Amino acid sequence: AAGTAKPLPSSGPKSLREMPHPLATSSSEEMGPALTPSPDLLLPRSIADKDLSLPNGTPVDTSSPASSSSLLNRLQLDDDLDGETRDLFVTVDDPKKHVCTMETYITYRVTTKTTRAEFDLPEYSVRRRYQDFDWLRNKLEESQPTHLIPPLPEKFVVKGVVDRFSEEFVETRRKALDKFLKRITDHPVLSFNEHFNVFLTAKDLNAYKKQGMALLSKMGESVKYVTGGYKLRSRPLEFAAIGEYLDTFSLKLGTIDRIAQRIIKEQLEYLVELREYGPVYSTWGGLEVELAEPLEGVSACIGNCCTALEELSEDMSEDFLPVLREYILYSESMKNVLKKRDQVQAEYEAKLEAVALKKEERPKVPTDVEKCQDRVECFNADLKADMERWQNNKRQDFRQLLMGMADKNIQYYEKCLTAWESIIPLLQD
C-alpha cells in the first residue's frame, strides 16, 4: 500500500532503526560503565565502535554522541549535497476550494518525487488541507523532540480583516506550506520520519489520524519526562547564549514586523489619495482647452505612480512580511526545544543528587541516570546541529529577502522617475 512505511535506508552497514537512540527506552539496551558526569554536561560519550561509512563507502569517525540524528548531521547526508544529487523533492500547488454542508475549506496538491527505498513508488500526488499539515507537525514534535520542527503559518485570521478564501491569502499560505515541507525534506533526520512518509503517500490520511501510527517512536513516549517538577540550576554558557540570542532576535523581528505593517497601511492610504488626485487633473483639462494636453499628461503620470506603488505594497505584503513572521515563529519553536533540553538536564541533576545522598563506599551510577545523561547529550548534539542549520538558512533567506526588497524599491522609484521625466518636455512645450 502507498501509505505503508518501510524500513529506513542504510547509512553504512546498519539501518537507522538499528542504531540505538538515547531516547529509545529499550529494556534490552546494554548500558556502558558507570559515568562520571561532566560539570557542564556538554562532553559527549562515544557510541559503540561500529564500521560506519558514507553511502559512497568512505569510512567515518564514530566518536560522536549516541544519537542517530546527530550522527546524520555529522555525516552531512543530503544537507550539503548538490540539488542534483538529492533524492526527495516535494512541492505544494493547485489550491482548490471545497464547499460542504458543514464547512468550507481549501486543499492543496502535494506532489512528491523520490528515489528513496522506503517509498513504493517514484512519484505521489495527494491533496491535503491545513489541518493535515498541522497533524504532521504535531507528530514530528512528538517523535523527534530533540529537533527543531519548522513552523507552520498562523492558522487563525481575524474575520472582517482578512478573507481566508481570497486569492491573495490562499497563495500566501500555499507558499508558506510549500516552504514548510521543503524544510522538512532538506533535513537529514526529519525527512526519514515515518509520519512524513505517510503524509506524502497516504490517500486517506484520516485513517491514520484515527488509528494512530503503529510504529510510534519510543522516543516520543519518553519525552513525557519533561513534565517533571525539576528545576534547572543554570544553563551551560553555550545554551544560555542561544536563549539570549533568540529573545533578542524575536524582539527585533517583531518590531520590524509591526513597523512594516504600519508602512504598508500608510502606503495603501496614500494610494487611495493618489487615485483620487490624478483624475482631478483630467477634469480640469476639460475646462482648459489650451492646458488640456499637459494636464492629461500629469494625470497619466500620477496614474503610473499609483500602479508602481500598488506593486510595491503587494510585494511587501506577499514576500516580505511572511518571511518575518516565519522566523518569529521559528524562534519560538527553537525556544521550546531549548526548554525541553533544560528540563532534561534538570532531571539529570536531580538524579545525580539522589545518587550522591546514598552512603555507599563505591556507589555505581544507576542505569536510569546513565539514560538521562544520554538524553541530555542527545538534546545538546541535536539542538546545536539544528541551530547551525537554522542560522545558515536564515542568512540565505534574509540575504534574498533584503536584496529583493532593495530591488523592488529601486524599481518603484525608477518607474516614478520615468513617469515624471516623460511629461517634462510636454510641460515645456
Side-chain angles (χ1 to χ4, degrees), residues 93-100 103-109 127-129 163-167 169-170:
D93 60 8
D94 189 29
K96 287 186 178 179
K97 186 176 181 180
H98 300 260
V99 180
C100 302
E103 61 176 339
T104 301
Y105 59 93
I106 303 292
T107 64
Y108 304 84
R109 180 174 61 189
R127 298 205 71 84
R128 298 286 185 253
R129 55 187 297 186
D163 179 8
R164 66 189 183 98
F165 298 115
S166 67
E167 184 177 344
F169 179 81
V170 170

Side-chain angles (χ1 to χ4, degrees), residues 47-62:
I47 59 175
D49 294 333
K50 296 177 183 177
D51 296 326
L52 298 176
S53 62
L54 290 171
N56 61 7
T58 305
V60 295
D61 179 21
T62 58

Side-chain angles (χ1 to χ4, degrees), residues 184-204:
I184 298 174
T185 301
D186 291 339
H187 197 284
V189 177
L190 300 180
S191 63
F192 286 97
N193 185 278
E194 61 262 30
H195 303 293
F196 187 46
N197 183 305
V198 168
F199 177 86
L200 297 179
T201 61
K203 288 296 182 183
D204 183 14

Side-chain angles (χ1 to χ4, degrees), residues 227-273:
T227 59
Y230 306 106
K231 186 175 182 181
L232 180 66
R233 291 177 179 176
S234 63
R235 276 179 179 168
L237 293 179
E238 182 176 10
F239 296 103
I242 291 177
E244 293 174 0
Y245 167 78
L246 292 172
D247 288 339
T248 304
F249 176 75
S250 58
L251 179 64
K252 297 298 182 185
L253 245 60
T255 302
I256 293 174
D257 179 59
R258 288 192 297 272
I259 295 175
Q261 290 189 61
R262 289 203 301 267
I263 290 174
I264 294 175
K265 181 181 177 182
E266 291 170 0
Q267 285 178 339
L268 295 177
E269 292 173 351
Y270 176 50
L271 187 59
V272 172
E273 299 292 344

